[in-house]
Amino acid sequence: MNILESLIDGQRANSVHQAGSGLGLDAGTTKTLLQQLVPALAGGLQRNLATSGGLASLAGALANGNHGRYLDDPAALQSPAAVEDGNAILGHLFG
């Protein structure tokens, strides 16, 4: 199972769909969004890993946050802290 399939159909799929619902998205729209987002994130990850220190920087950012809480409690995605965390991780991926 690839990353996209695990998000859409895996054991965390309910959390993903709840997160989408919290943002006003139905399940179909959430799935379409993920189908577009996951390849872009994978590309960013590949570019990041190709840079000197990229892996260490990203690993540090992921290790220092309690990001799993957003999967456990999708309602937390609506907090300003979630936006800050998301933007920080995206900054590591896309520069």
Side-chain angles (χ1 to χ4, degrees):
M1 181 179 290
N2 66 35
I3 293 172
L4 181 59
E5 290 171 347
S6 69
L7 286 173
I8 294 172
D9 300 319
Q11 70 185 89
R12 296 286 190 177
N14 189 43
S15 294
V16 170
H17 292 300
Q18 283 181 342
S21 178
L23 297 171
L25 304 174
D26 61 37
T29 303
T30 300
K31 183 176 180 177
T32 299
L33 177 65
L34 287 173
Q35 289 171 327
Q36 295 173 0
L37 182 63
V38 168
L41 291 174
L45 180 59
Q46 287 178 330
R47 283 187 299 280
N48 184 279
L49 296 178
T51 65
S52 176
L55 176 59
S57 177
L58 179 60
L62 292 172
N64 290 330
N66 181 18
H67 307 295
R69 71 181 178 267
Y70 301 121
L71 292 174
D72 296 331
D73 179 17
L77 287 169
Q78 297 177 11
S79 73
V83 173
E84 290 176 26
D85 286 346
N87 286 338
I89 296 301
L90 290 174
H92 282 282
L93 288 175
F94 296 115

